[in-house]
Amino acid sequence: GNSAVGHGAMIANGSGRSNTALGTYALADNLEGSFNVAVGSNALVTIEGNNNTALGYRAPLEYRRQQAGMQTD
């Protein structure tokens, strides 16, 4: 089963299974991905795929933006 705690956490989940989302909109757009863990507001919000783990605000989006030299919030 899936576990979700937080406003909008895993709101769009379809066939994804064995996911854990803790935080506002964590794993919000996950449709089919399984075995993902997201802890933090907007963590893994737009992820596709399986077996992902993210910890922190907007992770991994903020990390990718920093690596690309982009301005972060």
Side-chain angles (χ1 to χ4, degrees):
N2 294 305
S3 300
V5 177
H7 179 78
M10 267 193 325
I11 195 167
N13 190 67
S15 61
R17 59 190 171 87
S18 298
N19 294 297
T20 301
L22 176 59
T24 303
Y25 294 108
L27 274 171
D29 293 338
N30 181 57
L31 297 175
E32 299 174 356
S34 297
F35 308 104
N36 295 301
V37 177
V39 179
S41 180
N42 293 295
L44 293 178
V45 70
T46 58
I47 197 67
E48 295 179 12
N50 304 313
N51 303 307
N52 296 289
T53 302
L55 176 61
Y57 170 70
R58 290 173 39 167
L61 175 64
E62 289 300 317
Y63 173 78
R64 285 185 291 205
R65 291 179 74 190
Q66 289 173 2
Q67 293 300 99
M70 299 173 70
Q71 181 69 29
T72 60
D73 296 339

